[in-house]
Amino acid sequence: MEKELLTEEKIAEAAREVFIEKGMNGARMQEIADKAGINKSLLHYYFRTKEKLFAFIFSKLIHRIGDRLENLMQEGVSIEDKVKGYVELYIDILLKNPFLPNFILNEVTRNPDAIFEGFAAAKINPQKFFAPLENQLKAEGYNIDPRDFVINILSMVIFPLAGRPILEHIVFNGDKKAYKDYILSRKKSIVEFVMFALEGYKKLEVRD
Amino acid sequence: MEKELLTEEKIAEAAREVFIEKGMNGARMQEIADKAGINKSLLHYYFRTKEKLFAFIFSKLIHRIGDRLENLMQEGVSIEDKVKGYVELYIDILLKNPFLPNFILNEVTRNPDAIFEGFAAAKINPQKFFAPLENQLKAEGYNIDPRDFVINILSMVIFPLAGRPILEHIVFNGDKKAYKDYILSRKKSIVEFVMFALEGYKKLEVRD
DNA sequence: AAAAAGTTTGACCAAACGGTAAAAATATTT
DNA sequence: AAATATTTTTACCGTTTGGTCAAACTTTTT
């Protein structure tokens, strides 16, 4: 009884890799089995269907992301330091997991309902997130919609990594090192760009 | 001879819709045939393989995008007006084609080589694009890396539309109208955000 | 050590898929 | 109108894919 730990973990790790790289549609149960060094039947023994295996992997992934978001909401940290911390953390994570952004964008489009159950289970709560942020922005004199603030930063961090092949080819002529150096340089330049923009919102009258 | 026009166009339109929504892997020849109101064999009569059909559709798409990019590079238009024009044009296009960003991000990851042949054929030339832009930015006193300038704007325009299901659910609690209104409001707010940021770059010393 | 429970394997299946071949229908040329 | 070329349909094929089943092997319980 209860010796299943090793095998199940090998499967989970293999499935995570294949799913993230190929997506639900592109992933093959055979490939996952091979990568885990086991039989395809054994895969169905542990996770009866592909759908169930996928749901399991995705749910774990979302939980990890939810936890990380939570950690970013500590009080007593200035807006600038939050921006800096967020940008650095996520660029590092995404550089190590190049397929993650596309994977999430994809699956969330392919099957929204199933995905959002995962979000709900991970207790990702936007109101707990936006309300304090809005207060802090106002307290530090930045009169910007907190949604714009968050979404603009998210965009500038994630998009260049999600669109890696495009940038790498079109902007950097296939020079992988130049691309990676550029992405790393964005740790500074995004913070700079955001803080310059925020400076402009200091001068604005309070709106509605 | 040469009556093939109608059928071929019906196929192209159906294929475009299915490919953009489901991607190359998710698309089914049968679904394309059904949507075009024809037989599956007839589909293979016009475009022998799925790969060929996909290449044809993708190539047309890239060409249209390349043309639009070209139009945005006219001289004699201020940076602010270029930002404004670009943001408005692309938000409108992407609102009408919700699956386009994810589709391109996806296919470019799935099969880069084939895709970049398409880019090359569409004569998308980054150097012709970045050099004049850098000059104009400097001429107007904005000491910012033109790559940051372009990529940040691209990010802020495309990402919230590529991640529509996520934003719609997490930020707007499934309220589609609230989401769409917000995206439309970004036509102004992105320009504002960018111009505020650019203001900061005016004060910077010229860097290498 | 026998029985029972859990794990792993190999052989196999039905459905879905991309694709083909030849007949049938339609249009074009002579 | 007969012959020719083109377009469309019908029926089918080989592979791939997710999934099953019973047998074999291993571990745990009695």
Side-chain angles (χ1 to χ4, degrees):
Chain A
M1 216 184 277
E2 207 151 329
K3 201 223 83 187
E4 77 218 39
L5 272 156
L6 266 152
T7 307
E8 193 170 327
E9 275 166 17
K10 277 194 303 184
I11 292 177
E13 175 59 18
R16 201 183 58 87
E17 287 176 27
V18 175
F19 275 133
I20 287 184
E21 183 171 345
K22 305 268 177 81
M24 165 72 181
N25 275 334
R28 303 296 132 183
M29 294 299 266
Q30 188 61 61
E31 188 181 351
I32 295 173
D34 291 349
K35 204 159 212 161
I38 58 154
N39 197 294
K40 198 184 67 172
S41 296
L42 196 51
L43 215 124
H44 282 94
Y45 174 74
Y46 280 97
F47 302 86
R48 284 225 307 284
T49 68
K50 188 185 184 185
E51 213 71 45
K52 281 198 174 26
L53 175 56
F54 181 81
F56 176 78
I57 300 294
F58 197 87
S59 161
K60 278 207 337 191
L61 208 89
I62 290 296
H63 268 80
R64 285 231 307 270
I65 292 175
D67 293 347
R68 273 169 179 157
L69 266 174
E70 199 115 348
N71 288 342
L72 262 155
M73 279 306 299
Q74 322 122 6
E75 288 182 34
V77 180
S78 73
I79 287 289
E80 177 159 10
D81 283 343
K82 276 187 180 165
V83 174
K84 200 182 279 181
Y86 179 86
V87 170
E88 284 181 10
L89 174 65
Y90 268 70
I91 286 184
D92 282 339
I93 291 177
L94 296 185
L95 272 177
K96 280 177 201 151
N97 301 277
F99 296 108
L100 201 61
N102 274 317
F103 170 71
I104 292 187
L105 287 178
N106 251 317
E107 297 309 328
V108 110
T109 312
R110 197 184 57 88
N111 188 359
D113 295 339
I115 301 306
F116 291 123
E117 286 175 28
F119 276 112
K123 290 173 189 165
I124 292 175
N125 186 339
Q127 275 159 327
K128 271 194 177 172
F129 183 80
F130 279 106
L133 183 64
E134 183 162 22
N135 289 337
Q136 186 177 3
L137 281 165
K138 274 188 180 155
E140 298 191 24
Y142 304 122
N143 192 238
I144 183 175
D145 184 330
R147 298 172 307 179
D148 288 334
F149 176 76
V150 170
I151 290 171
N152 285 349
I153 295 174
L154 262 174
S155 302
M156 289 189 284
V157 170
I158 298 179
F159 182 80
L161 285 148
R164 191 191 83 232
I166 299 179
L167 287 193
E168 209 168 275
H169 245 84
I170 303 234
V171 181
F172 298 99
N173 287 312
D175 184 340
K176 290 186 180 187
K177 192 181 179 311
Y179 167 78
K180 199 187 167 186
D181 287 346
Y182 173 71
I183 292 293
L184 287 173
S185 83
R186 285 179 70 79
K187 284 189 186 178
K188 278 189 183 173
S189 73
I190 292 176
V191 176
E192 189 180 62
F193 191 86
V194 170
M195 293 316 294
F196 277 159
L198 282 186
E199 208 56 38
Y201 287 92
K202 264 193 176 165
K203 296 161 194 160
L204 281 189
E205 295 294 316
V206 176
R207 300 184 279 198
D208 54 289
Chain B
M1 216 184 276
E2 207 148 331
K3 203 223 79 184
E4 78 216 39
L5 272 155
L6 265 150
T7 306
E8 193 169 328
E9 275 166 17
K10 278 194 301 183
I11 293 177
E13 174 60 16
R16 202 182 56 87
E17 288 176 26
V18 176
F19 276 132
I20 287 183
E21 184 171 345
K22 306 269 178 81
M24 165 71 181
N25 275 333
R28 305 294 123 163
M29 295 298 267
Q30 188 61 59
E31 189 182 349
I32 295 173
D34 290 348
K35 203 158 212 162
I38 58 155
N39 198 295
K40 199 184 68 173
S41 293
L42 195 52
L43 214 122
H44 283 94
Y45 173 74
Y46 279 97
F47 302 86
R48 286 226 307 285
T49 68
K50 188 185 183 184
E51 212 72 46
K52 281 198 172 36
L53 175 57
F54 181 81
F56 176 77
I57 300 293
F58 196 87
S59 161
K60 278 207 336 190
L61 208 89
I62 290 296
H63 267 80
R64 286 230 307 270
I65 291 174
D67 292 348
R68 275 169 177 157
L69 266 175
E70 199 116 347
N71 288 341
L72 263 155
M73 280 306 300
Q74 320 122 8
E75 289 182 34
V77 179
S78 74
I79 288 288
E80 177 159 9
D81 284 344
K82 276 187 180 165
V83 174
K84 199 182 281 182
Y86 179 85
V87 169
E88 284 182 10
L89 175 65
Y90 267 70
I91 286 184
D92 282 338
I93 290 177
L94 295 185
L95 272 177
K96 280 178 202 151
N97 301 277
F99 296 108
L100 201 61
N102 274 319
F103 171 73
I104 293 187
L105 286 178
N106 251 318
E107 298 309 327
V108 109
T109 310
R110 199 184 55 88
N111 188 359
D113 295 339
I115 301 305
F116 290 123
E117 286 175 27
F119 276 112
K123 290 172 189 166
I124 292 175
N125 187 339
Q127 275 158 329
K128 271 195 177 172
F129 183 81
F130 279 106
L133 183 64
E134 183 161 23
N135 289 336
Q136 186 177 4
L137 281 165
K138 273 187 180 156
E140 298 192 23
Y142 304 122
N143 192 239
I144 184 177
D145 184 329
R147 298 172 306 179
D148 288 333
F149 177 77
V150 169
I151 288 170
N152 285 349
I153 294 175
L154 261 174
S155 301
M156 289 189 284
V157 170
I158 296 179
F159 182 79
L161 286 148
R164 191 192 82 234
I166 300 180
L167 288 193
E168 209 168 274
H169 246 82
I170 303 236
V171 182
F172 299 99
N173 286 311
D175 184 339
K176 291 187 180 184
K177 192 181 179 308
Y179 167 76
K180 199 188 166 185
D181 288 346
Y182 173 71
I183 292 293
L184 287 173
S185 84
R186 286 179 68 80
K187 284 188 186 179
K188 279 190 183 172
S189 75
I190 291 177
V191 177
E192 189 180 62
F193 191 87
V194 170
M195 293 316 294
F196 277 158
L198 284 186
E199 208 56 35
Y201 289 93
K202 264 194 174 161
K203 297 160 193 159
L204 282 188
E205 295 292 318
V206 176
R207 299 183 281 196
D208 52 294

